[in-house]
Amino acid sequence: MVPAFNEEGNIAPLHARLDSVLRACADDHEIIFVDDGSTDGTLDAIRALARRDPRVKFLAFSRNFGHEMASTAGLDRAEGDAVVLIDADLQDPPEVIRRLVDAWRDGADVAYAQRRRRPGEPVLKRLTAWLFYRLLARLTEVPIPRDTGDFRLMDRRVVLALRRCRENPRFVRGLVAWVGFKQQAVLYDRDERHAGETKYGFRKLLKLSLEALSAFSLAPLRLTVWLGGAAVALSVLITLAVVFERVFLGPAQRGYALLACGIFFMGGVQLVILGIIAHYLGQVFTHGQARPLYLVAEQSGWSETHGREPLPGDGRAREPLLVVRRQEADPPHAHSTLS
Ligand code: UDP
Ligand code: MG
């Protein structure tokens, strides 16, 4: 499945490469595009493909809901024995899918493509991404793989587990790690974007990182206790110093400076703590509103009554993004729960 937002120049080349790879490694497949409210010719390009190629299905959102929701919509409709999530910009080379499928046939439930190299991306982005993955690994209890984007193959049972997670805001990579099962890395070199520009500027990345951190870790909340404790310890030290000075050195000749610093310091600590709490509260609020995760304005490849977005927790969703069927002759790999 391919989430796409303003990727008109990438749709046709991506489809061509996907098509040849998928013909080579799967008996039966579908390619699902999710148009995330694009304002350029992306949807037209997808519609044209769907007219030509019966294996292409698509959904178009009523507006831009974001990459995570586009991925979610594709996973909600995926029907294959395995589903591959891939970016539309050709940064994830479709040829790597063969190796993901091999890993799956060898028994992995999740084969995630881990980047060895990411050329053409600014140093600042690489540095912040590096930092983010290390911080995430330290703070969260689920082992979210480092240097790994959304490019991955998931077995059907992982997809079914993901459909039961209806949290909003959502961080799909984190959820995939959270569901567990057998996860395996496949190393690859990331290419440069084929056409267009990245949709993730610094602000959007920061927002995603903060949401990801708070969705998978309570460490920032615990940090508030330490911050408060440190402020108390500091104030005790200052008090002791003042008493010592008063008793042994006589009346101090201090002005307002110390007092002013203390007030600003405490005000700052309290605001930081409030900010952390407000961030979690915001996530709870968004989730509590229980709005649909996305709205579909147009779809092709499914009947009208088929493939409506599922209600929270009802697990009704169908159909794939990009679907690969497991071959009959494959070694069994404990998938008895699957049809
Ligand atoms: N994308 C999306 N909705 C958005 C932003 C991005 O569906 O609001 C898609 C985009 O079309 C691409 C993928 O998500 O297929 C990754 O986006 P991008 O390449 O801009 O991110 P980067 O690779 O620079 O982190
Ligand atoms: Mg990209």
Side-chain angles (χ1 to χ4, degrees):
M1 88 131 277
V2 189
F5 175 52
N6 292 349
E7 304 279 7
E8 61 182 344
N10 295 324
I11 300 296
L14 172 72
H15 175 260
R17 276 171 70 181
L18 275 178
D19 191 58
S20 62
V21 170
L22 292 174
R23 278 176 198 281
C25 69
D27 302 338
D28 185 14
H29 70 264
E30 294 170 298
I31 301 175
I32 299 186
F33 287 94
V34 179
D35 174 58
D36 186 11
S38 299
T39 50
D40 65 357
T42 303
L43 185 54
D44 289 333
I46 297 173
R47 282 195 195 110
L49 276 183
R51 276 194 297 272
R52 270 196 359 239
D53 181 351
R55 297 182 188 215
V56 171
K57 296 179 170 187
F58 72 84
L59 291 173
F61 282 176
S62 61
R63 64 168 171 84
N64 179 247
F65 279 87
H67 180 201
E68 305 293 319
M69 296 312 171
S71 311
T72 301
L75 293 173
D76 283 347
R77 283 160 175 75
E79 242 180 23
D81 294 336
V83 181
V84 177
L85 193 56
I86 187 169
D87 281 358
D89 57 6
L90 287 165
Q91 273 192 299
D92 307 329
E95 293 68 30
V96 175
I97 292 176
R98 282 171 195 248
R99 288 165 52 214
L100 298 180
V101 171
D102 287 345
W104 172 61
R105 291 199 167 122
D106 287 342
D109 290 301
V110 175
Y112 56 87
Q114 196 163 36
R115 300 185 273 253
R116 257 188 311 233
R117 228 162 44 87
R118 39 195 305 168
E121 292 192 277
V123 179
L124 186 68
K125 177 156 186 178
R126 296 205 326 239
L127 185 76
T128 45
W130 185 89
L131 246 174
F132 168 67
Y133 286 114
R134 266 80 199 157
L135 197 67
L136 201 63
R138 257 197 104 79
L139 295 186
T140 57
E141 271 119 60
V142 288
I144 299 174
R146 292 169 176 196
D147 307 325
T148 301
D150 285 295
F151 186 25
R152 64 192 61 219
L153 177 148
M154 287 161 278
D155 183 76
R156 182 157 183 79
R157 61 179 176 169
V158 171
V159 174
L160 291 180
L162 286 176
R163 284 184 196 167
R164 295 171 60 191
C165 304
R166 307 309 293 175
E167 68 194 49
N168 182 20
R170 53 201 292 111
F171 181 54
V172 173
R173 275 170 256 180
L175 289 174
V176 176
W178 178 85
V179 302
F181 297 105
K182 190 162 182 279
Q183 311 231 352
Q184 193 182 318
V186 171
L187 292 176
Y188 80 114
D189 292 328
R190 196 157 209 228
D191 285 342
E192 292 187 28
R193 216 171 210 287
H194 177 77
E197 283 176 4
T198 176
K199 310 300 174 313
Y200 279 93
F202 186 71
R203 285 176 59 137
K204 256 176 116 175
L205 270 181
L206 187 69
K207 181 168 174 279
L208 180 73
S209 316
L210 290 179
E211 282 176 3
L213 263 183
S214 54
F216 287 91
S217 172
L218 293 181
L221 279 179
R222 283 195 285 270
L223 179 74
T224 59
V225 177
W226 290 103
L227 271 178
V232 170
L234 194 65
S235 71
V236 168
L237 282 182
I238 294 173
T239 310
L240 285 177
V242 169
V243 169
F244 179 86
E245 204 178 16
R246 183 81 179 80
V247 171
F248 296 102
L249 306 175
Q253 295 295 317
R254 292 208 190 280
Y256 294 106
L258 187 66
L259 198 61
C261 288
I263 290 172
F264 281 119
F265 176 74
M266 278 318 297
V269 170
Q270 285 170 3
L271 283 180
V272 167
I273 292 176
L274 264 182
I276 294 175
I277 298 174
H279 178 75
Y280 280 87
L281 184 65
Q283 306 236 125
V284 173
F285 177 70
T286 307
H287 185 77
Q289 286 176 309
R291 292 183 184 154
L293 298 180
Y294 53 84
L295 292 173
V296 176
E298 184 183 335
Q299 62 179 34
S300 161
W302 304 280
S303 68
E304 271 307 304
T305 52
H306 196 204
R308 295 252 181 252
E309 59 270 37
L311 296 170
D314 75 359
R316 209 161 30 92
R318 305 203 149 91
E319 267 102 332
L321 291 159
L322 187 161
V323 185
V324 187
R325 299 244 176 247
R326 192 185 288 270
Q327 281 173 350
E328 292 298 323
D330 286 342
H333 113 154
H335 280 134
S336 50
T337 57
L338 287 182
S339 55

